[in-house]
Amino acid sequence: MDAVILQERLAERLVSPRTRSAKLKQEKQYVGFATLPNQVHRKSVKKGFDFTLMVAGESGLGKSTLVNSLFLTDLYKERKMLNAEERINQTVEIIKHTVDIEEKGVKLKLTIVDTPGFGDAVNNTECWKPITDYIDQQFEQYFRDESGLNRKNIQDNRVHCCLYFIPPFGHGLRPVDVEFMKALHEKVNVVPLISKADCLTPGEMKKLKDRVKEEIEKLGIKVYQFPDCDSDEDEEFKQQDKELKESTPFAVIGSNTVVDVKGQRVRGRLYPWGIVEVENQSHCDFVKLRNMLIRTHMHDLKDVTCDVHYENYRAQCIQHMTSKLTQDNRIESPLPILPLPTPNVETEKLIKMKDEELKRMQEMLQKMQQQMHDQEQ
Amino acid sequence: MASTDVTRQLDTNVRPLSMSGHVGFDSLPDQLVSRSTGQGFCFNILCIGETGIGKSTLMDTLFNTNFENSESTHFEPKVKLRAQTYQLQESNVQLKLTVVNTVGFGDQMNKEDSYQHVVNYIDAQFESYLQEELKIKRSLHNYHDTRIHACLYFIAPTGHSLKSLDLVTMKKLDSKVNIIPVIAKADTISKSELHKFKIKIMSELVSNGVQIYQFPIDDENVAKINTTMNSHLPFAVVGSTEEVKIGNKMVKARQYPWGVVQVENESHCDFVKLREMLICVNMEDLREQTHTRHYELYRRCKLEEMGFTDTDAENKPVSLQETYETKRQEFLFELQKREEEMRQMFVQRVKEKETELKDAERELQGKFEHLKRLHQEERMKLDEKKTMLEDEISGFSKRKIAAELLQAQAFTGSMNIKKDKDRKNSGFM
């Protein structure tokens, strides 16, 4: 019922003021496909959304706290933190937390992929391997589902975004950071963050951000780039967008506690010398991150994952499979590969053998002829 | 500082005596003080921590000066130690301070042997002191003592627990140097988190048997303050060389948008406690502990390795000279044995080479013979063929002559017949 009303209202707005009075006299002269956005909105609300977020970084950088602050829930109720002794030889695990959250009728199935143990052991060579394997597994799963016969209920478990936490205690990127981002930048959208930003003064923060940006560019790491806004957007939006892009990598602070600031209860951290407010833009970039991740770019992250990273994976996978097939006829392919118009592999082999024999015999003949020629001479 | 410590022993031959007036030997400590003040003091600190954790800044803040340390990069291939010596003066006391910093600690992917470089450095300092001590002509009072007196271990403020690298390193160092763990960049941890963090760290250290330096409580003058300080370990410190105006004073602080962290404010961080404990109260004790405990342990291990013992197999005390003599004999004996071995090996090698060469010669000879034979055979064959050819040629030429003869005969025959015919014909006429 309300859809019809909505349609009429939209139609009214579209019809120019001149003919509005004429409308009452004449028949409605619009077609009506301007309501498409509304229909999309309606359908998507009904279907619900899903998003998979991966967080990676050393222990103690505030990943769990940030996730709790971002989604205003407590995902990590019972968490067992390992001792230093147990972590000497720790391997990386992959832990998934899935929650269903709802806001104003919009349902979101949020999956957080946690990577405890990353960078914690004494020897961290190739500690990102379990993570890249996991991402590839999700791609492969989706690939198989997509190529299957029944495609009604495909579950999309692909990782849409990876937040990488850079410690603020150093002077820039460390070797482990560089290696991790390089291993992942072509598989997933990597968003680097400077964690625990309350240990940096504004001057130090700017220096560190510039350093990190420089190093990322110099080392050729392809982090997630915000799409450029359309040229017909208004100035304010463009200005905001520019600011957003210039303040990457975001320096964030998270908090599990709520404190009183000037009569208001906000999420923050209480220190003897002051209170750090998580949502205060002059304190840290948490708000920018939240806006980017959830309010404006969530769908773009999903799109880039589908269009770029997944397609790359798919193309590689197919190439790999077809090259293997020509060598070895026994690979089971998930795709129903149509019979190609080339001869059977067996006959091809026979042909090759015969060819070689022929060549050999020709060579022998030539040799004999030469010998006879020499003898005659 | 090679003074032998005299321990007060209750000797039954010595009886306490009371004097009837003031003699004046109570000025002995003052004499000692003025002598050591004249000589100047020496202190060596080792700072271990990740790159960028604030080691240089803390040193600058502690000693209220600028040590001019440059920033290091994160991409060092292995851990290095950088030592710098400075001469400081306060009132009329001279201090020769050596600050050793680790470079690249905790940056590598594989940190399994990071601790080894630090241990090697500390051992090297002990070794050079030991060498000086064992010299025949030595000048220990002039010797610049580079042994590490205190090691500040900088723990990253994660808020959870120690890192695995920290645990491994501290375990290896606790018997070699006085370890004082500090929590660096402590302005990122709130008070409640800090309390939990400190407890966790101490319990982890205890459960893994790491012996950090405990401030001494046997001296009544400082026992009380030291005991309270021991309960505040590890100290959570903040370093800063920048000054901010608070009230009407300039203080060392860090300015944030949400507040100002004052370095010397005891409710903000434990910097003042660290300075007091490290420098004001316990510096001499640190030096003493280094000499009497850590250095002695090193010396004992080293000498035992070399084979010196205080008592021999029958538990009788053995003097250094005897041990030295026996060692010398052993050494000479081994030397001789080695020489013999080498000589024998040399002879054997020479023999082997000879046989090799001989074999090679024989082979070559054989080949030469073989080739010669082949050559001869071919020659013979060729000669045969030549003779055959010559025969054929001669045969052919004979046949040719014969054929020509026949032809000539045939020709003359026909000529004769023609002549006869002509004569017959002419006869008729």
Side-chain angles (χ1 to χ4, degrees):
Chain A
M1 225 14 228
D2 54 337
V4 180
I5 301 172
L6 260 165
Q7 278 188 5
E8 290 198 3
R9 262 197 233 138
L10 200 64
E12 272 183 46
R13 251 185 278 144
L14 287 167
V15 173
S16 62
R18 249 188 300 126
T19 56
R20 217 175 258 164
S21 51
K23 182 196 102 183
L24 293 170
K25 297 173 199 165
Q26 289 176 324
E27 290 271 307
K28 298 188 175 120
Q29 301 243 342
Y30 65 96
V31 181
F33 58 77
T35 60
L36 271 169
N38 283 41
Q39 299 178 29
V40 172
H41 192 267
R42 222 179 346 123
K43 276 212 169 238
S44 61
V45 166
K46 187 167 146 213
K47 201 166 83 169
F49 295 89
D50 61 34
F51 191 68
T52 308
L53 179 69
M54 177 183 268
V55 284
E58 274 186 11
S59 304
L61 290 179
K63 301 186 289 295
S64 330
T65 315
L66 186 75
V67 168
N68 284 345
S69 308
L70 270 176
F71 296 101
L72 295 175
T73 73
D74 190 5
L75 255 75
Y76 300 90
K77 282 200 208 22
E78 297 116 26
R79 205 161 54 124
K80 182 177 167 298
M81 299 294 301
L82 293 179
N83 289 328
E85 199 186 345
E86 293 161 352
R87 279 190 270 160
I88 292 177
N89 290 318
Q90 195 184 21
T91 48
V92 181
E93 293 170 33
I94 306 277
I95 298 186
K96 273 177 22 167
H97 302 265
T98 309
V99 287
D100 272 321
I101 42 184
E102 188 183 319
E103 199 177 54
K104 288 204 192 132
V106 179
K107 295 195 202 55
L108 174 66
K109 181 162 146 271
L110 178 70
T111 309
I112 307 281
V113 181
D114 219 352
T115 56
F118 176 78
D120 282 346
V122 177
N123 185 352
N124 288 320
T125 358
E126 297 221 330
C127 57
W128 55 84
K129 204 146 183 332
I131 301 177
T132 46
D133 286 346
Y134 175 81
I135 296 177
D136 282 340
Q137 257 175 35
Q138 305 312 308
F139 277 156
E140 194 183 318
Q141 178 78 40
Y142 193 81
F143 184 39
R144 279 178 194 270
D145 287 346
E146 196 187 47
S147 325
L149 294 170
N150 185 357
R151 305 203 298 182
K152 229 169 188 243
N153 294 321
I154 305 182
Q155 273 226 345
D156 186 3
N157 286 326
R158 298 173 292 183
V159 180
H160 299 126
C161 178
C162 175
L163 296 178
Y164 185 68
F165 287 70
I166 300 173
F169 311 127
H171 296 313
L173 291 176
R174 299 165 305 161
V176 67
D177 302 331
V178 172
E179 295 291 315
F180 177 82
M181 288 202 273
K182 274 192 146 158
L184 255 73
H185 63 167
E186 298 198 328
K187 294 186 192 282
V188 76
N189 298 315
V190 175
V191 176
L193 301 174
I194 297 178
S195 54
K196 293 207 168 179
D198 55 353
C199 97
L200 298 167
T201 59
E204 290 169 354
M205 201 192 289
K206 180 133 196 340
K207 209 169 105 177
L208 183 63
K209 279 191 184 183
D210 288 340
R211 245 309 172 69
V212 171
K213 259 201 284 216
E214 204 185 295
E215 286 182 353
I216 286 180
E217 211 179 294
K218 197 170 77 168
L219 297 163
I221 301 174
K222 304 192 205 106
V223 297
Y224 172 69
Q225 302 289 341
F226 302 118
D228 292 321
C229 51
D230 301 321
S231 52
D232 58 348
E233 298 274 359
D234 55 358
E235 273 306 310
E236 194 192 317
F237 190 79
K238 276 199 215 166
Q239 181 66 22
Q240 274 183 4
D241 192 59
K242 194 166 119 182
E243 270 176 29
L244 199 76
K245 286 195 188 150
E246 277 175 8
S247 52
T248 52
F250 296 131
V252 293
I253 302 174
S255 170
N256 281 328
T257 53
V258 178
V259 289
D260 256 316
V261 173
K262 294 185 200 140
Q264 278 191 325
R265 290 183 66 77
V266 287
R267 273 195 181 236
R269 291 173 62 75
L270 177 65
Y271 288 115
W273 48 86
I275 301 181
V276 181
E277 295 162 47
V278 167
E279 296 189 8
N280 187 331
Q281 294 239 34
S282 58
H283 288 187
C284 70
D285 297 329
F286 174 81
V287 173
K288 291 204 182 82
L289 173 69
R290 184 181 59 192
N291 287 348
M292 185 280 281
L293 189 62
I294 303 176
R295 294 184 190 174
T296 47
H297 289 76
M298 196 183 241
H299 222 273
D300 183 64
L301 285 164
K302 287 179 76 169
D303 283 341
V304 174
T305 310
C306 290
D307 297 339
V308 178
H309 300 297
Y310 174 68
E311 291 299 319
N312 279 343
Y313 173 82
R314 189 168 168 276
Q316 269 181 16
C317 213
I318 295 181
Q319 265 185 2
H320 189 64
M321 275 197 303
T322 48
S323 68
K324 262 200 141 175
L325 264 176
T326 53
Q327 285 176 17
D328 182 340
N329 209 11
R330 280 175 263 122
I331 297 284
E332 205 186 276
S333 77
L335 296 178
I337 293 196
L338 302 165
L340 304 159
T342 55
N344 201 358
V345 186
E346 295 286 326
T347 47
E348 255 193 288
K349 269 198 201 154
L350 268 167
I351 291 175
K352 258 198 193 153
M353 265 169 49
K354 298 285 175 181
D355 266 330
E356 276 172 32
E357 266 194 62
L358 249 160
K359 256 197 226 149
R360 251 183 281 138
M361 289 177 63
Q362 274 185 344
E363 274 173 28
M364 271 174 61
L365 249 161
Q366 268 192 347
K367 254 194 227 156
M368 288 194 335
Q369 276 186 348
Q370 190 72 14
Q371 273 182 4
M372 275 178 33
H373 193 70
D374 289 338
Q375 272 187 1
E376 276 175 30
Q377 278 186 353
Chain B
M1 243 197 83
S3 57
T4 45
D5 286 348
V6 182
T7 44
R8 305 260 123 241
Q9 280 176 336
L10 282 167
D11 207 339
T12 45
N13 293 335
V14 180
R15 57 192 169 97
L17 206 61
S18 56
M19 305 160 300
S20 47
H22 176 81
V23 179
F25 59 78
D26 58 354
S27 67
L28 275 170
D30 299 326
Q31 293 177 30
L32 191 63
V33 164
S34 58
R35 186 184 75 149
S36 28
T37 317
Q39 276 178 351
F41 294 89
C42 166
F43 195 65
N44 307 321
I45 302 186
L46 168 65
C47 295
I48 307 182
E50 289 174 6
T51 311
I53 200 101
K55 306 184 283 292
S56 318
T57 312
L58 188 70
M59 286 293 110
D60 287 349
T61 322
L62 261 178
F63 290 99
N64 222 351
T65 165
N66 183 2
F67 287 129
E68 279 167 27
N69 279 316
S70 53
E71 246 181 38
S72 345
T73 161
H74 279 282
F75 294 91
E76 295 278 349
K78 56 184 182 109
V79 177
K80 294 196 293 220
L81 284 107
R82 190 168 52 192
Q84 282 160 315
T85 311
Y86 308 93
Q87 190 81 25
L88 304 168
Q89 179 167 3
E90 195 178 53
S91 322
N92 60 339
V93 178
Q94 303 261 3
L95 177 69
K96 198 183 225 162
L97 176 75
T98 304
V99 179
V100 187
N101 276 322
T102 53
V103 176
F105 189 77
D107 278 335
Q108 296 81 26
M109 294 296 293
N110 186 351
K111 299 174 265 202
E112 278 176 350
D113 58 352
S114 296
Y115 73 84
Q116 194 60 50
H117 296 120
V118 183
V119 167
N120 289 347
Y121 180 84
I122 297 175
D123 280 346
Q125 309 315 308
F126 281 151
E127 182 64 33
S128 61
Y129 191 83
L130 182 66
Q131 291 304 321
E132 182 66 28
E133 230 188 11
L134 291 175
K135 267 195 197 162
I136 298 171
K137 242 181 144 190
R138 60 188 194 180
S139 58
L140 277 173
H141 61 275
N142 268 343
Y143 177 71
H144 176 202
D145 185 7
T146 52
R147 296 172 297 179
I148 303 292
H149 300 127
C151 169
L152 287 177
Y153 196 95
F154 288 72
I155 299 173
T158 55
H160 293 315
S161 69
L162 286 176
K163 292 196 180 174
S164 47
L165 176 66
D166 297 341
L167 193 64
V168 166
T169 311
M170 282 205 261
K171 257 181 129 159
K172 295 279 177 193
L173 289 178
D174 68 348
S175 58
K176 293 196 177 279
V177 75
N178 301 314
I179 299 184
I180 303 176
V182 292
I183 300 175
K185 299 207 169 177
D187 53 357
T188 194
I189 316 183
S190 65
K191 267 247 171 346
S192 51
E193 291 170 357
L194 188 62
H195 190 64
K196 274 194 279 184
F197 191 36
K198 283 191 180 183
I199 292 178
K200 188 82 203 303
I201 292 178
M202 292 310 279
S203 76
E204 278 197 331
L205 289 174
V206 163
S207 65
N208 283 294
V210 177
Q211 289 180 332
I212 56 171
Y213 177 73
Q214 296 287 333
F215 303 118
I217 45 179
D218 46 5
D219 183 358
E220 321 86 51
N221 291 336
V222 292
K224 195 155 162 278
I225 188 171
N226 276 347
T227 346
T228 35
M229 289 305 177
N230 272 333
S231 63
H232 280 117
L233 282 175
F235 293 132
V237 294
V238 175
S240 171
T241 45
E242 285 155 12
E243 302 207 330
V244 172
K245 201 176 175 88
I246 302 274
N248 53 355
K249 283 202 314 176
M250 295 293 281
V251 290
K252 287 197 279 259
R254 285 173 65 76
Q255 174 120 46
Y256 289 109
W258 49 86
V260 180
V261 182
Q262 294 161 37
V263 169
E264 292 179 342
N265 185 333
E266 292 223 34
S267 60
H268 286 190
C269 71
D270 299 330
F271 174 79
V272 176
K273 296 194 181 78
L274 176 69
R275 186 175 57 192
E276 211 172 301
M277 286 291 103
L278 184 65
I279 301 177
C280 308
V281 177
N282 295 310
M283 208 184 223
E284 186 56 34
D285 181 71
L286 283 162
R287 292 173 47 185
E288 209 180 297
Q289 288 280 335
T290 310
H291 182 68
T292 54
R293 232 178 49 179
H294 301 294
Y295 172 66
E296 287 300 314
L297 181 66
Y298 174 82
R299 182 175 173 277
R300 190 170 60 212
C301 292
K302 204 67 201 307
L303 291 178
E304 272 176 1
E305 244 179 72
M306 292 206 282
F308 295 103
T309 47
D310 278 341
T311 61
D312 67 358
E314 293 129 28
N315 262 7
K316 284 205 301 242
V318 168
S319 80
L320 201 68
Q321 189 173 356
E322 288 176 22
T323 330
Y324 181 66
E325 284 293 310
T326 39
K327 274 259 139 179
R328 195 155 177 272
Q329 294 289 356
E330 270 182 43
F331 193 63
L332 281 171
F333 187 61
E334 257 212 62
L335 202 72
Q336 278 183 349
K337 225 172 51 168
R338 286 259 186 90
E339 264 193 64
E340 265 306 311
E341 269 178 40
M342 277 177 69
R343 210 175 298 143
Q344 283 185 2
M345 245 180 52
F346 180 68
V347 167
Q348 201 185 5
R349 283 260 184 89
V350 166
K351 273 204 202 134
E352 276 178 24
K353 262 283 152 131
E354 262 191 51
T355 44
E356 259 186 55
L357 282 171
K358 278 215 185 101
D359 283 338
E361 205 187 320
R362 244 181 291 136
E363 247 192 78
L364 270 172
Q365 192 78 354
K367 270 201 193 153
F368 177 63
E369 298 279 313
H370 182 73
L371 273 172
K372 208 163 136 186
R373 241 181 298 132
L374 276 174
H375 185 70
Q376 275 188 354
E377 279 177 21
E378 280 212 30
R379 213 185 195 176
M380 274 183 13
K381 274 200 208 142
L382 274 171
D383 282 340
E384 277 181 29
K385 281 204 179 153
K386 199 172 176 186
T387 42
M388 261 176 57
L389 192 70
E390 279 180 3
D391 285 344
E392 272 187 29
I393 288 179
S394 58
F396 178 69
S397 53
K398 274 194 204 143
R399 267 187 277 139
K400 188 176 173 190
I401 293 176
E404 278 182 359
L405 213 65
L406 238 90
Q407 215 183 33
Q409 276 184 1
F411 187 61
T412 47
S414 67
M415 282 288 287
N416 282 345
I417 293 176
K418 225 184 169 183
K419 269 192 191 151
D420 281 346
K421 264 194 184 166
D422 283 345
R423 233 188 279 137
K424 272 192 190 156
N425 285 344
S426 64
F428 280 124
M429 288 199 250

